[in-house]
Amino acid sequence: MDNKYKKLILKGGFVCDPFQKINQISDIVIIDGKITEISNLFKDDTKISNDFKIIDVKGMIVMPGLVDLHTHLRDPGYEWKEDIYSGSLAAAKGGFTTICAMPNTSPVPDSAPVVRDFFNKSKNSIIRTLPFGSITKGRLGKSLSPMYELQEAGVVGFSDDGDTLMDSNIMRQALLYSIDTGLPIINHAEDIVIKNNGVMNSGLVADRLGLKGTLPSSEYLMVKRDIDLAFETGGIIHIPHISTEQTVSYIFQAKDAGLKFSSEVTPHHLTMTEEWVYGESGIDPEFLSEKSYDTNAKVNPPLRSHNDVSALIQGINEGIIDTIATDHAPHSLSDKECSFDEAAPGINNIETAFSQLYELVKDKKISLEKLVSALSVNPSRILNKEPFGSLHLNKPAELTIFDPNTSWVVNEKNLLSKSSNTPLKGKLLNGKIVLTIFKGRIVYDEL
Amino acid sequence: MNLIDDKEESRRGRKVNHLLDVDSLSLNSVNTIINSSKKAKSILLSKNKTLSLKGKTIVSIFFENSTRTRVSFEQAGKILGADVINVNVPSSSISKGESILNTVKTIQSIGMDSLIVRHNHSGVPYFIARNVNVPVINAGDGMHAHPTQSLLDIFTIKTEIGDIKNKKILIIGDVKHSRVARSNINLLVRLGAKITVAAPTTLLPDSWIGINKKDFKIISHYKKMESNLSDTDLIMLLRVQKERQDQGSLPNLEEYSKLWGLTKYRYDTLSPNTFIMHPGPVNEGVEVASELLNHKNSLIDKQVENGVAVRMAVLEFCIS
């Protein structure tokens, strides 16, 4: 199917739109790319005029195009891992219609020309691709990037990505700037001094594998510092990829005390534990096999314990954590085919994210509405623009459809990303995104 | 002859007989290796050679410096009639930026029947085992495991002291960073030894701090260690790495030696039958007083000697 259908009906799907608080089985009429009706009118197909294309989506979930606040597109500088185009294909396959590119590229987007190049290249993107600028020049943590210049060039926020801004004074200045730009500051939430070159979660698994552990305090201390600085300055802060129980409970306290900030958690931290490093789908084996030391399960912050996973799920359920962001991090084989210590951190997950997360809905740990909110309305609000990915009437359709009744095996052949560094490689996933529409155009289609 | 018992093979579900750590060896296999080590030792003492691995090529690749382990493997292979190739890594292509994988695959294409690996990063032998089709023998990986050291320690205890069940063993030192301790604790616990681990808290693994392990006891204060010394059959010492000082885990080696070292004074208060082991190389005067190294109860030289016999048994176990 392509875009030749001027008139389209998505029939019988369960529509979940947190923007408009729709949660029911409905038919969606799309004419010339715009949604003209969401209703239950078409019980009888014969009453629909012949020029409509009808797609039966019974048993499937129709939701707004998903919004990702944390994507690595590796473009410019590392295009063998991913580029803006391949990243956009992967995102559309994952149900995303808006992605925000992290600035760990070469060159770093710390001046307007680099951002303009990004927008030029983004013309190839099949979805909405937005850039973050770097907080500091060259992401070196020494002096601020020209934030106004970057804002005028179109960045949607600032981050030094995986390099923590350790200098509290510069962080404070960045937060003061954010009051004027109105754009969020996203600082990698790991104190690198206490992290002390840790490569996985500190605990029994690390000690058994003889790998250096990263303590929960490395995250907690940095999150606490940043929230305190944001409170003191009144700056705008977004906390990336929360991974520990301690951080969830600190965020709860801070929000309870009326502090204003937002935060995110990744699909892998919500669904996987440190045991995945054993290489046996999260099972704690009686003895280590050659599957152990799975470098595809190496990520910053690291996969944590079962308790942490439960706390993060609770954080989403109770609205303590606002959003789910992928931290999609494509890496080539050679970045991962090495010792665990040397392996590049990061998981390629934008295509598998919704299938992974839907398991939590099936297990009744998270409601569908909460899940979709954390992937659409909430991140859209943090970007502070018009709603991205909504099902509003008379607007170009921007939606995605998930079929929970199908399954697929993850492998390098069916991933659209240029890389396939996921611990889910070879694993069966339940449920699949089957259709994505961006600005009225079908950008991913398996129906 | 298939030396792996059926249960073990079905558990492992693989055809290639690696030795990555002792945790995947069943106690039957451990016994098999210990028994063939006895035979190997008699061959060794008779100064004869065998031809059991004649025509086999064993490559040993050490990404980390080692004298005793490398020489021990080389000697073991040669006595069994195998051709042993030592790849000298610092002078090889690795230093030109070639990856571990490329190096190993190149060696595999040239031809080998087994690969002995040492690396300063934990898990490298596992990564290599995923990528080659010959048995990989771990000669020490980072902080993780040192299975042949553990097997030779078990063999030494069995032949010099006796049955391991219910033996009271005190392990003193940097267990946090010690691959020898990790492998030994795994195997000794399974063989029924009563283990106590003594180390300053900074040198304990993070997950052991403040908890009591169900399989063994942990002591983190030197005075408590002293009061436990007298009730010990064997003291296994661990090497203290000087770099721990730079990492802030130790104020200095003098303090370590004062609080945790096996001094002559401490040793003399013990039962006269307390044995001493150390995987080497020893920091004389730090972990143990120099004069105790040649004590009649010191098994340190025996460990080195047994190393060759046990590695002969391991090579036969993995390759034939």
Side-chain angles (χ1 to χ4, degrees):
Chain A
M1 193 180 91
D2 53 30
N3 296 323
K4 67 187 171 191
Y5 305 109
K6 286 177 72 73
K7 296 179 176 184
L8 183 64
I9 297 174
L10 303 170
K11 195 168 179 307
F14 184 85
V15 178
C16 177
D17 178 12
F19 286 97
Q20 304 177 84
K21 306 229 177 319
I22 304 173
N23 266 302
Q24 63 186 54
I25 293 172
S26 291
D27 306 322
I28 296 183
V29 183
I30 301 172
I31 296 174
D32 287 334
K34 285 185 180 161
I35 295 178
T36 57
E37 203 165 342
I38 301 178
S39 68
N40 277 318
L41 287 178
F42 307 102
K43 287 193 178 107
D44 186 355
D45 285 0
T46 55
K47 290 184 183 158
I48 304 170
S49 70
N50 282 338
D51 52 348
F52 274 94
K53 162 75 178 174
I54 301 169
I55 302 178
D56 184 4
V57 293
K58 203 182 284 168
M60 301 185 199
I61 297 160
V62 184
M63 53 197 165
L66 308 178
V67 179
D68 187 15
L69 290 181
H70 198 138
T71 324
H72 296 271
L73 294 177
R74 310 296 187 210
D75 193 351
Y78 308 96
E79 290 90 344
W80 64 89
K81 301 184 185 201
E82 195 81 285
D83 59 31
I84 293 173
Y85 176 66
S86 68
S88 76
L89 295 179
K93 181 181 163 79
F96 292 85
T97 52
T98 303
I99 56 177
C100 301
M102 276 289 158
N104 58 335
T105 52
S106 178
V108 172
D110 57 5
S111 67
V114 184
V115 177
R116 281 198 290 269
D117 279 351
F118 180 91
F119 280 113
N120 273 335
K121 269 190 160 178
S122 295
K123 287 173 189 155
N124 289 330
S125 170
I126 63 168
I127 56 164
R128 184 182 293 109
T129 314
L130 304 168
F132 284 119
S134 66
I135 306 174
T136 63
K137 268 275 176 201
R139 300 195 302 115
L140 297 172
K142 299 257 195 293
S143 59
L144 287 186
S145 300
M147 290 183 160
Y148 289 122
E149 176 186 319
L150 290 169
Q151 182 186 27
E152 279 169 14
V155 304
V156 293
F158 298 94
S159 175
D160 274 357
D161 190 54
D163 290 313
T164 308
L165 181 46
M166 289 297 290
D167 187 321
S168 304
N169 181 45
I170 298 196
M171 184 61 185
R172 189 171 170 277
Q173 309 302 329
L175 286 164
L176 289 170
Y177 254 81
S178 75
I179 299 170
D180 299 330
T181 60
L183 298 178
I185 305 292
I186 305 173
N187 183 27
H188 186 78
E190 280 191 308
D191 181 320
I192 55 166
V193 178
I194 188 79
K195 184 179 171 80
N196 193 20
N197 302 318
V199 294
M200 70 170 295
N201 188 36
S202 162
L204 281 170
V205 182
D207 287 337
R208 184 171 170 195
L209 291 163
L211 292 172
K212 270 195 117 175
T214 299
L215 291 159
S217 58
S218 73
E219 175 173 290
Y220 171 77
L221 290 172
M222 191 46 63
V223 169
K224 188 171 182 319
R225 183 202 76 171
D226 287 348
I227 289 175
D228 286 356
L229 285 174
F231 177 60
E232 206 175 68
T233 55
I236 304 169
I237 195 164
H238 175 74
I239 310 288
H241 45 53
I242 288 164
S243 69
T244 72
E245 191 183 358
Q246 285 93 323
T247 309
V248 176
S249 81
Y250 182 71
I251 285 183
F252 175 75
Q253 288 170 32
K255 284 202 165 174
D256 209 37
L259 274 56
K260 295 270 182 291
F261 59 91
S262 58
S263 62
E264 74 190 29
V265 57
T266 71
H268 40 277
H269 289 108
L270 284 168
T271 56
M272 291 173 168
T273 61
E274 57 196 326
E275 279 85 2
W276 278 79
V277 178
Y278 288 132
E280 309 203 28
S281 305
I283 289 165
D284 193 343
E286 193 184 335
F287 53 85
L288 304 184
S289 74
E290 59 258 55
K291 293 181 203 149
S292 278
Y293 299 90
D294 184 357
T295 52
N296 282 327
K298 180 179 175 181
V299 60
N300 284 337
L303 299 174
R304 303 279 189 184
S305 70
H306 287 278
N307 277 346
D308 293 312
V309 170
S310 305
L312 293 166
I313 291 172
Q314 195 187 354
I316 285 289
N317 261 330
E318 297 181 6
I320 301 166
I321 304 171
D322 309 272
T323 69
I324 299 172
T326 66
D327 196 4
H328 172 69
H331 283 296
S332 61
L333 273 180
S334 60
D335 294 320
K336 291 290 193 180
E337 292 213 315
C338 54
S339 76
F340 199 88
D341 286 352
E342 290 168 320
I347 297 178
N348 188 316
N349 66 355
I350 205 161
E351 295 168 68
T352 57
F354 201 85
S355 303
Q356 284 173 272
L357 292 165
Y358 191 76
E359 290 291 313
L360 299 173
V361 176
K362 254 172 53 184
D363 295 346
K364 303 208 183 320
K365 290 180 177 165
I366 289 182
S367 71
L368 178 68
E369 202 184 344
K370 280 261 156 55
L371 176 63
V372 178
S373 298
L375 286 159
S376 60
V377 58
N378 297 356
S380 181
R381 273 184 198 141
I382 290 165
L383 291 171
N384 209 13
K385 298 264 168 67
E386 83 266 27
F388 290 139
S390 90
L391 301 179
H392 284 108
L393 293 185
N394 302 317
K395 291 263 171 69
E398 204 170 311
L399 59 83
T400 190
I401 299 178
F402 180 75
D403 181 0
N405 304 309
T406 182
S407 60
W408 58 299
V409 176
V410 181
N411 60 44
E412 52 264 58
K413 279 185 202 122
N414 57 29
L415 293 178
L416 298 179
S417 168
K418 281 189 181 177
S419 308
S420 60
N421 52 301
T422 162
L424 294 173
K425 216 190 274 188
K427 307 275 184 310
L428 186 83
L429 282 186
N430 293 316
K432 197 177 190 183
I433 297 285
V434 288
L435 186 82
T436 303
I437 297 176
F438 174 63
K439 286 190 177 167
R441 286 172 49 92
I442 292 167
V443 289
Y444 185 74
D445 181 14
E446 274 195 45
L447 286 176
Chain B
M1 183 176 66
N2 185 8
L3 293 169
I4 313 170
D5 66 53
D6 293 345
K7 188 185 162 223
E8 193 176 321
E9 190 164 65
S10 70
R11 285 192 331 184
R12 295 205 223 181
R14 63 185 184 210
K15 293 184 191 85
V16 182
N17 193 19
H18 305 296
L19 179 61
L20 300 172
D21 192 10
V22 291
D23 65 345
S24 61
L25 289 175
S26 67
L27 292 183
N28 270 345
S29 297
V30 173
N31 266 332
T32 306
I33 293 172
I34 297 300
N35 289 334
S36 15
S37 302
K38 284 179 193 153
K39 285 176 210 150
K41 192 163 181 187
S42 63
I43 295 168
L44 201 59
L45 292 174
S46 73
K47 308 263 179 206
N48 285 331
K49 294 198 173 186
T50 75
L51 296 174
S52 67
L53 293 184
K54 191 170 165 51
K56 304 281 186 193
T57 302
I58 298 167
V59 176
S60 95
I61 181 159
F62 279 60
F63 297 88
E64 182 188 77
N65 289 333
S66 153
T67 308
R68 63 184 68 205
T69 306
R70 188 172 57 77
V71 172
S72 180
F73 266 113
E74 186 173 352
Q75 176 72 339
K78 285 180 173 165
I79 293 171
L80 295 170
D83 298 314
V84 183
I85 299 173
N86 287 313
V87 180
N88 191 355
V89 177
S91 65
S92 81
S93 323
I94 297 274
S95 48
K96 296 176 203 151
E98 188 174 325
S99 73
I100 300 172
L101 192 59
N102 283 338
T103 306
V104 166
K105 289 206 160 160
T106 305
I107 296 170
Q108 176 164 266
S109 321
I110 293 167
M112 62 173 169
D113 299 291
S114 180
L115 186 64
I116 298 162
V117 183
R118 170 173 286 194
H119 200 288
N120 59 345
H121 291 169
S122 302
V124 168
Y126 291 77
F127 161 61
I128 291 177
R130 283 201 286 276
N131 288 289
V132 300
N133 51 21
V134 300
V136 173
I137 297 169
N138 183 359
D141 65 322
M143 307 187 288
H144 173 245
H146 197 347
T148 58
Q149 178 71 43
S150 175
L151 289 165
L152 78 87
D153 287 348
I154 301 298
F155 177 70
T156 306
I157 299 169
K158 283 202 167 188
T159 51
E160 302 297 327
I161 313 178
D163 190 18
I164 286 170
K165 201 170 167 73
N166 294 324
K167 282 278 178 304
K168 297 186 187 96
I169 300 176
L170 178 63
I171 299 175
I172 305 174
D174 183 4
V175 277
K176 180 171 185 160
H177 303 96
S178 173
R179 54 192 174 213
V180 177
R182 270 187 182 70
S183 289
N184 264 338
I185 290 170
N186 180 289
L187 197 43
L188 288 168
V189 165
R190 284 160 69 206
L191 289 166
K194 301 256 179 287
I195 300 206
T196 304
V197 172
T201 307
T202 50
L203 298 181
L204 284 175
D206 291 342
S207 65
W208 296 10
I209 297 169
I211 64 155
N212 247 319
K213 301 278 287 182
K214 71 178 197 306
D215 301 328
F216 54 90
K217 213 165 103 182
I218 302 164
I219 294 176
S220 56
H221 195 285
Y222 78 99
K223 283 193 174 157
K224 284 197 184 141
M225 173 195 74
E226 283 174 339
S227 63
N228 270 267
L229 280 169
S230 56
D231 191 28
T232 301
D233 298 308
L234 165 65
I235 297 172
M236 298 180 95
L237 300 162
L238 299 172
R239 182 177 162 81
V240 178
Q241 309 280 347
K242 293 203 172 63
E243 67 246 37
R244 302 297 163 235
Q245 223 172 298
D246 310 329
Q247 293 160 352
S249 307
L250 283 177
N252 53 52
L253 292 184
E254 289 75 16
E255 168 149 315
Y256 179 86
S257 149
K258 224 181 276 173
L259 303 187
W260 302 92
L262 188 60
T263 58
K264 183 78 170 59
Y265 174 79
R266 277 184 183 133
Y267 186 75
D268 285 344
T269 63
L270 310 183
S271 125
N273 288 323
T274 309
F275 290 91
I276 304 170
M277 288 173 75
H278 190 300
V282 177
N283 290 308
E284 285 189 35
V286 179
E287 298 107 17
V288 55
S290 304
E291 59 220 287
L292 291 174
L293 292 175
N294 299 318
H295 192 278
K296 69 173 173 53
N297 286 339
S298 162
L299 302 176
I300 298 171
D301 288 340
K302 284 266 188 270
Q303 285 173 278
V304 179
E305 190 185 313
N306 291 338
V308 179
V310 170
R311 289 185 175 108
M312 286 166 68
V314 163
L315 289 175
E316 284 194 310
F317 178 82
C318 291
I319 300 170
S320 52

